[in-house]
Amino acid sequence: MSQIGGFFDLWNPVLLLIVVVIGYSYGRFVVKGMVRVAKSEPISISQQLLFYAGLILFYIGQGSPINYIGHHYLFSMHMLQQTILYLIVPILIWLGTPAWLVRSCMKNRVFRGLFSFFTRPLIALFMFNMLFSIYHMPFIMDYLMKNDVPLLAYHTMLLVTAFIMWFPVFCPLPELNRLNDLKKMAYIFGNGVLLTPACALIIFADSIIYDMYNNVTVPFAHLSPLDDQQLGGVIMKILQEIIYGATLAYIFFRWYRRERKDEDELDPIPSQDSLNNQGGNWNRA
């Protein structure tokens, strides 16, 4: 492989069209209230920005040269792609999704039953990490990379389970929010532990474990296949730690602000008028 693919290989116009349609539908039918849902709360500007950022990053990860180069040349680019798609995009999309939109989907009994079951924390936690670890088994990954249809199916499963995995942390529905903030922090820690073996296998391997990246001629990089493989594991692990650390900080400070607010409501600071009245009462006494 000595030549980079053409425009349609590097920039997926079909996926770009799909992303644009989703973004337009979100802005037209959700943000502007074209979908009439009882007791629907307005969507803030920050929510909109997060949702659109998630869509943009999804296209960057799946439809830009990152996808093509990661598939054909650099394992490190493939790991960067997976970090974007499975550890960043679902967070942004969930943060930008209003509760009433998810609640309207729950009106379907079959969907509600399946969704409620698979988003149980332990099921969601192990389902994604199990599929992610299996994917990085050398014989599995080599087979998938040579067969487009199974690869697309497996990547779709990974993306769906990634959204399911993040749902217990960024749940927009109070009635389905099964974890308090302390349990959410433990949940994130557990995710980090379960994801570590796959990264360690790649980082500390002393030989090429994926045949598809062996003897690849990269026209724009000066990395040996082994260095590229180890770099991929390092990228995944470092970015995972950053993302999980930022998530832990987000949960902690949200919990802290809520605790302070509750304390202020239970023990409000007396107003100046009440202090003056108390002072007058003391003087008269």
Side-chain angles (χ1 to χ4, degrees):
M1 298 180 185
S2 58
Q3 295 181 349
I4 299 298
F7 175 81
F8 285 90
D9 295 320
L10 296 175
W11 303 96
N12 189 329
V14 175
L15 184 63
L16 177 60
L17 178 61
I18 293 173
V19 168
V20 169
V21 169
I22 293 174
Y24 174 80
S25 300
Y26 176 83
R28 177 69 182 274
F29 300 106
V30 179
V31 174
K32 293 185 179 180
M34 296 297 290
V35 174
R36 303 300 178 185
V37 181
K39 299 180 180 179
S40 61
E41 67 275 13
I43 304 175
S44 66
I45 296 297
S46 61
Q47 280 183 293
Q48 298 175 43
L49 292 176
L50 288 168
F51 187 90
Y52 287 124
L55 283 182
I56 292 171
L57 282 178
F58 174 73
Y59 177 72
I60 291 174
Q62 191 63 43
S64 77
I66 290 178
N67 178 55
Y68 182 85
I69 295 170
H71 185 88
H72 294 280
Y73 293 101
L74 293 176
F75 177 75
S76 56
M77 195 67 71
H78 182 65
M79 295 301 279
L80 175 62
Q81 175 197 33
Q82 293 200 312
T83 303
I84 293 172
L85 292 177
Y86 307 137
L87 300 186
I88 301 178
V89 169
I91 295 176
L92 298 176
I93 296 296
W94 279 131
L95 288 175
T97 302
W100 59 264
L101 183 60
V102 180
R103 192 174 289 116
S104 64
C105 297
M106 292 296 176
K107 293 180 180 179
N108 184 290
R109 294 180 60 184
V110 175
F111 178 85
R112 183 173 67 249
L114 291 174
F115 191 81
S116 299
F117 175 78
F118 285 111
T119 55
R120 292 179 180 179
L122 287 179
I123 294 176
L125 183 71
F126 284 103
M127 188 165 54
F128 170 76
N129 286 285
M130 180 184 66
L131 286 175
F132 188 84
S133 297
I134 292 174
Y135 175 79
H136 287 93
M137 291 179 178
F139 69 96
I140 295 291
M141 189 169 175
D142 284 333
Y143 169 78
L144 290 174
M145 286 297 192
K146 295 176 183 177
N147 298 274
D148 291 338
V149 174
L151 179 65
L152 177 61
Y154 204 102
H155 280 181
T156 301
M157 285 195 302
L158 275 174
L159 186 63
V160 171
T161 55
F163 272 90
I164 291 173
M165 183 267 290
W166 284 113
F167 183 82
V169 180
F170 297 99
C171 174
L173 297 178
E175 58 268 29
L176 289 181
N177 192 13
R178 299 183 174 98
L179 300 178
N180 58 35
D181 290 329
L182 184 61
K183 291 180 179 179
K184 286 181 180 180
M185 289 187 278
Y187 181 88
I188 295 299
F189 179 79
N191 259 300
V193 171
L194 291 175
L195 202 62
T196 297
C199 295
L201 170 68
I202 296 167
I203 294 172
F204 297 109
D206 56 3
S207 62
I208 304 300
I209 59 177
Y210 301 110
D211 292 337
M212 51 173 292
Y213 291 106
N214 199 9
N215 299 321
V216 173
T217 301
V218 183
F220 47 82
H222 301 285
L223 282 174
S224 69
L226 182 58
D227 290 338
D228 174 53
Q229 178 178 282
Q230 293 173 338
L231 177 61
V234 170
I235 288 174
M236 185 70 181
K237 186 59 182 174
I238 290 178
L239 291 181
Q240 171 223 321
E241 295 291 342
I242 293 173
I243 295 165
Y244 286 0
T247 303
L248 287 172
Y250 169 82
I251 295 171
F252 174 80
F253 285 111
R254 185 179 61 179
W255 167 78
Y256 177 76
R257 288 194 298 267
R258 185 164 55 248
E259 289 296 314
R260 287 294 301 271
K261 181 179 178 180
D262 292 342
E263 290 178 1
D264 291 342
E265 291 176 353
L266 292 174
D267 186 21
I269 299 175
S271 64
Q272 188 63 42
D273 291 338
S274 63
L275 290 176
N276 291 337
N277 292 334
Q278 290 178 5
N281 293 334
W282 291 336
N283 291 333
R284 286 193 295 272

